[in-house]
């Protein structure tokens, strides 16, 4: 092989298997004869053939047209038994002209006219390969300066940044007390509004109720049974002297009548401004039948203003304590009260009711008919420490206690009579 001439690489298919050794191509002929027949006589570096040597067909160099020089191929050695592969560039030629120039580049000689080098298949684009992350570095010893045991000067100081301020307007914060007060206000307004609405719908105004109650109370004398106004038995818990209990039993009921015979002339004159519509009376006795008491209800013709004026006069002039203004008893024949007359009156009380056209009164005395020289008002006879005969006998408690119970029942009856069905 001529050392001055460059060696031509073989043009072979990268994926084709390597050619068999030269000795295996023609098994019937000797190696030298087979080489001579295939390639012709070999030549020396000057161009003369070498006797007994042949140039393999696969190593013949390409030459340009008109060049008669033939370059001798290198001698085949036993170690070179495979086809040489040349490196493939990353950007193969895309046009025939580029392929032709590339062929000239690879072979070191211009491409033959009219011939084009065989195109090799374009390699597939390389896929990106994944490479594992590098292994973590070996742990190192912690920095003593960052330890909590180090001094305050050695420890790092960490501070938190201020939060970003937004232009957004903050909502006003409502305090619990303000919320509770607002809730109470709303609830109160709701209750008041409900009450006003209910009153408007049902027509139960305050003025109307007062007027209806007063008017209805003036008609109870003929619309309510006598047992409701004067029950057969009245319990007086704590009504006796020293808080003792009392029980009164009805012994007689006077027929409803006028006021001509029921009051002394002076007391009738005091009651004349309010008039006398009807008078109801009943007589009771205690559990021992030692005392008798007459209780009465005078239904007047007056309006609320006249009744209020009468009540003020009794309070201002103390008319309920004058001995010449005592009501008369009802002495029913055939009862323990048969001897209960004007001379047996021991204690009394008079009460002017302002929310109804009624004057309530009571007068008590002994059941055996004994007379009393100095009657005493119930308010004074029931006072603790009183030493008069009516006070010692408890007659002031009898009159005051029974009058209070009958007046309470009257008020309850008025309320029941004026209630409207729901």
């Amino acid at each position: 092989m001529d050392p001055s001439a460059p060696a031509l690489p073989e043009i072979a298919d990268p994926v084709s298997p390597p050619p068999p050794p030269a000795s295996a191509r023609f098994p019937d002929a000797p190696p030298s004869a087979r080489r001579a027949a295939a390639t012709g006589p070999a030549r020396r570096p000057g161009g003369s053939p070498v006797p007994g040597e042949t140039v393999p067909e696969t190593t013949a160099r390409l030459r340009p047209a008109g060049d008669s020089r033939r370059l001798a191929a290198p001698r085949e050695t036993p170690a070179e038994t495979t086809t040489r592969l040349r490196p493939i560039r990353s950007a193969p030629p895309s046009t025939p002209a580029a392929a032709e120039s590339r062929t000239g580049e690879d072979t070191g000689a211009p491409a033959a006219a009219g011939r084009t080098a065989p195109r090799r298949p374009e390699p597939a684009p390389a896929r990106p390969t994944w490479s594992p992350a590098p292994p973590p570095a070996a742990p190192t010893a912690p920095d003593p300066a960052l330890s909590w045991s180090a001094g305050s000067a050695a420890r790092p100081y960490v501070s938190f940044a201020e939060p970003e301020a937004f232009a957004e307007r903050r909502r006003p914060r409502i305090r619990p007390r303000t919320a509770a007060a607002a809730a109470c206000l709303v609830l109160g307004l709701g209750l008041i509004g409900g009450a006003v609405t209910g009153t408007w719908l049902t027509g139960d105004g305050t003025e109307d109720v007062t007027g209806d109650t007063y008017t209805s109370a003036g008609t109870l004398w003929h619309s309510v049974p006598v047992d409701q106004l004067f029950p057969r038995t009245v319990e007086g818990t704590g009504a006796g002297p020293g808080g003792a209990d009392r029980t009164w039993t009805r012994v007689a009921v006077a027929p409803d009548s006028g006021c001509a015979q029921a009051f002394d002339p002076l007391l009738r004159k005091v009651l004349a401004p309010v008039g006398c519509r009807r008078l109801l009376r009943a007589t009771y006795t205690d559990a021992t039948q030692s005392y008798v008491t007459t209780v009465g209800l005078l239904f007047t013709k007056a309006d609320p203003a006249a009744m209020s004026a009468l009540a003020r006069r009794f309070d201002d002039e103390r008319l309920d304590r004058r001995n010449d203004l005592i009501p008369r008893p009802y002495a029913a024949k055939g009862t323990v009260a048969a001897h209960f007359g004007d001379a047996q009156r021991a204690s009394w009380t008079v009460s002017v009711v302002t929310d109804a056209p009624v004057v309530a009164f009571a007068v008590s005395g002994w059941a055996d008919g004994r007379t009393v020289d100095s009657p005493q008002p119930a308010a004074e006879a029931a006072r603790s420490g009183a030493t008069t005969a009516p006070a010692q006998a408890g007659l002031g408690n009898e009159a005051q206690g029974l009058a209070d119970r009958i007046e309470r029942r009257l008020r309850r009856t008025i309320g029941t009579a004026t209630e409207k069905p729901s």
Side-chain angles (χ1 to χ4, degrees), residues 188-205:
L189 292 177
L191 293 176
I192 294 174
V196 172
T197 303
T199 302
W200 176 72
L201 292 176
T202 59
D204 293 334

Side-chain angles (χ1 to χ4, degrees), residues 144-361:
L146 302 179
S147 174
W148 289 108
S149 60
S152 58
R155 286 199 301 267
Y157 179 75
V158 180
S159 62
F160 297 94
E162 292 292 333
E164 295 182 1
F166 296 94
E168 184 180 35
R169 181 180 298 178
R170 294 184 178 179
R171 295 181 179 179
R173 185 178 180 182
I174 301 177
R175 297 180 178 272
R177 291 185 178 178
T178 305
C184 293
L185 178 61
V186 173
L187 181 60
L189 292 177
L191 293 176
I192 294 174
V196 172
T197 303
T199 302
W200 176 72
L201 292 176
T202 59
D204 293 334
T206 305
E207 296 181 358
D208 295 338
V209 170
T210 303
D212 292 343
T213 301
Y214 191 88
T215 303
S216 299
T219 61
L220 291 179
W221 61 272
H222 65 81
S223 61
V224 177
V226 65
D227 290 344
Q228 188 171 347
L229 294 176
F230 303 121
R232 295 181 179 273
T233 303
V234 178
E235 297 294 335
T237 304
D245 296 337
R246 282 286 190 267
T247 299
W248 299 283
T249 304
R250 191 182 70 189
V251 297
V253 176
D256 54 331
S257 61
C259 302
Q261 304 299 326
F263 304 105
D264 290 339
L266 188 56
L267 181 56
R268 188 167 60 246
K269 184 178 180 180
V270 172
L271 297 176
V274 295
C276 180
R277 184 185 300 273
R278 190 66 58 174
L279 178 64
L280 304 179
R281 293 182 296 174
T283 300
Y284 288 81
T285 185
D286 66 328
T288 62
Q289 296 186 355
S290 301
Y291 313 110
V292 289
T293 305
T294 297
V295 60
L297 297 174
L298 170 62
F299 288 86
T300 69
K301 301 177 182 179
D303 57 6
M307 295 299 296
S308 299
L310 181 62
R312 286 194 301 269
R313 182 182 179 186
F314 266 78
D315 292 339
D316 296 342
E317 300 179 13
R318 300 173 67 90
L319 299 180
D320 57 339
R321 301 189 182 190
R322 288 177 56 171
N323 293 343
D324 54 352
L325 299 176
I326 303 176
R328 288 181 176 178
Y330 172 65
K333 295 180 180 180
T335 65
V336 294
H339 303 288
F340 187 30
D342 293 344
Q344 284 75 34
R345 295 178 293 183
S347 185
W348 79 98
T349 180
V350 179
S351 173
V352 180
V353 181
T354 57
D355 53 355
V358 176
V359 176
F361 62 91

